[in-house]
Amino acid sequence: MTALENAVSFKDVSKVFRGPREIKAVDNVSFDIESGTIIGLLGSNGAGKTTLIRMTTTLLSPSSGRITVAGYDVMGAPEKVREHIGYAGQDTERSLYYRLSPRENAKYFGWLSGLRAETAVERLEHFACQVGMDDRLDQHFITLSGGEKQVFVVLRALLHYPDIVFLDEPSKSLDVLTARRIRGLLKEYRHEHKATVIITSHNLKELEDVCDRLIFIDHGRKVFEGSPEELKQIAFKSESVEVRGGPFEDAVVGELMLLGETTPMRDGRELRIVCENPYATIRHVVSILES
């Protein structure tokens, strides 16, 4: 991949799941991910992190907006996008073949990426040694523990040395030591291959150990982008007030926005106001709504 300023770009991206109840999983999100960085997508369960990852890896189509990965539009050139990415999702049990060992799985998935069997196995052995799993390479995948399976799913995503790696909750099921080793491996991989790594998690402590920047997703919207230290300062120094009962008139929203950083939620039916003094903010909110 030629050098690009941004490895991934989102421009006004939304994703709506239609059914008996319409769900807006991603709501008009825009941000760029600089090449060669490790980025954390932080948020609670159901915030929209996995939907974002699945759209960037061409597994889902955005309802609107534009996503580019490695300079290619995910809708216009999905096959080009796939040439440059590695992906480990949350479906650990179906991410490798049950009756094959990790070594045999590496040969197969390496072949899919155009690698010789010897090369794929050599790379797997190198990664496995780094995370303390080199004694599990010849066990059938079905016999491994949940955490061990998760480790090899992550390692599989790195076999073909992708330029951009997407990892959806990679530390789930892992003990503290193994999770730390995985983070160390990702740091080394980024440095050695000048790669971009995007990790989703709901655990700030884990992400701050490995990420250059964090993007906080809440109810499908980007509510923060900055360094881990900047996020901690906001989180520890600020409170929030949620105002429900909308949709609100534009004039009311305008007045509420003067009270602090204001984020619309649930299609405008709720507003979240980040503030330093929630008690004073509540008094102002009541005054505005009553006027």
Side-chain angles (χ1 to χ4, degrees):
M1 184 178 77
T2 57
L4 292 172
E5 182 179 352
N6 293 319
V8 182
S9 292
F10 289 82
K11 179 64 175 176
D12 302 326
V13 175
S14 293
K15 177 61 180 179
V16 179
F17 293 101
R18 306 188 187 281
R21 184 171 68 90
E22 186 176 283
I23 299 174
K24 198 168 211 177
V26 175
D27 188 2
N28 197 38
V29 166
S30 296
F31 60 83
D32 298 319
I33 295 177
E34 185 179 346
S35 295
T37 58
I38 301 180
I39 299 297
L41 294 181
L42 181 67
S44 61
N45 294 331
K49 307 183 301 298
T50 294
T51 301
L52 283 169
I53 289 288
R54 289 176 66 83
M55 288 191 291
T56 56
T57 53
T58 75
L59 296 174
L60 283 176
S61 301
S63 300
S64 60
R66 186 170 187 258
I67 305 172
T68 58
V69 177
Y72 297 101
D73 188 294
V74 298
M75 295 293 290
E79 68 289 345
K80 289 293 186 181
V81 169
R82 296 183 198 117
E83 290 177 6
H84 292 279
I85 66 172
Y87 168 67
Q90 294 193 47
D91 192 6
T92 304
E93 298 296 326
R94 292 192 292 179
S95 294
L96 291 173
Y97 284 99
Y98 255 26
R99 300 193 181 281
L100 298 181
S101 68
R103 196 187 303 271
E104 292 166 332
N105 269 288
K107 292 178 182 179
Y108 174 70
F109 284 100
W111 173 76
L112 290 180
S113 299
L115 296 178
R116 296 172 60 243
E118 295 83 355
T119 301
V121 169
E122 182 180 309
R123 292 179 182 181
L124 178 67
E125 290 173 347
H126 173 70
F127 291 145
C129 283
Q130 288 183 273
V131 295
M133 290 288 172
D134 48 311
D135 60 343
R136 301 288 193 273
L137 290 172
D138 295 307
Q139 291 185 216
H140 285 167
F141 185 69
I142 195 172
T143 67
L144 300 176
S145 70
E148 290 167 345
K149 290 175 182 174
Q150 179 65 15
V151 167
F152 283 112
V153 169
V154 172
L155 301 188
R156 185 215 64 191
L158 305 178
L159 284 179
H160 57 296
Y161 291 169
D163 303 307
I164 306 169
V165 183
F166 297 94
L167 303 175
D168 194 4
E169 300 279 1
S171 62
K172 72 170 187 176
S173 305
L174 300 186
D175 61 75
V176 174
L177 177 59
T178 304
R180 185 182 302 121
R181 288 172 174 170
I182 287 290
R183 293 195 296 272
L185 171 64
L186 295 176
K187 290 178 185 178
E188 182 173 319
Y189 181 86
R190 182 269 296 267
H191 177 74
E192 184 175 342
H193 298 281
K194 297 179 173 55
T196 306
V197 182
I198 298 94
I199 306 169
T200 74
S201 179
H202 55 269
N203 189 322
L204 173 59
K205 186 171 180 60
E206 286 190 341
L207 290 183
E208 69 179 347
D209 180 50
V210 68
C211 294
D212 302 303
R213 295 183 68 76
L214 298 175
I215 297 171
F216 197 102
I217 306 296
D218 185 48
H219 290 86
R221 297 177 66 91
K222 185 190 78 172
V223 297
F224 171 84
E225 181 177 359
S227 69
E229 187 59 37
E230 288 170 334
L231 179 58
K232 284 196 295 184
Q233 289 177 357
I234 293 175
F236 294 136
K237 292 183 179 179
S238 301
E239 302 281 355
S240 66
V241 173
E242 291 189 8
V243 185
R244 301 176 181 177
F248 303 96
E249 296 180 0
D250 291 343
V252 171
V253 173
E255 290 191 63
L256 293 174
M257 290 180 68
L258 297 176
L259 302 178
E261 183 179 336
T262 304
T263 304
M265 301 185 299
R266 302 190 185 279
D267 298 324
R269 297 191 301 274
E270 298 180 13
L271 295 172
R272 174 175 293 168
I273 304 170
V274 177
C275 56
E276 293 187 4
N277 188 337
Y279 302 104
T281 300
I282 289 172
R283 290 197 298 271
H284 289 304
V285 168
V286 172
S287 176
I288 291 170
L289 295 179
E290 288 182 341
S291 63

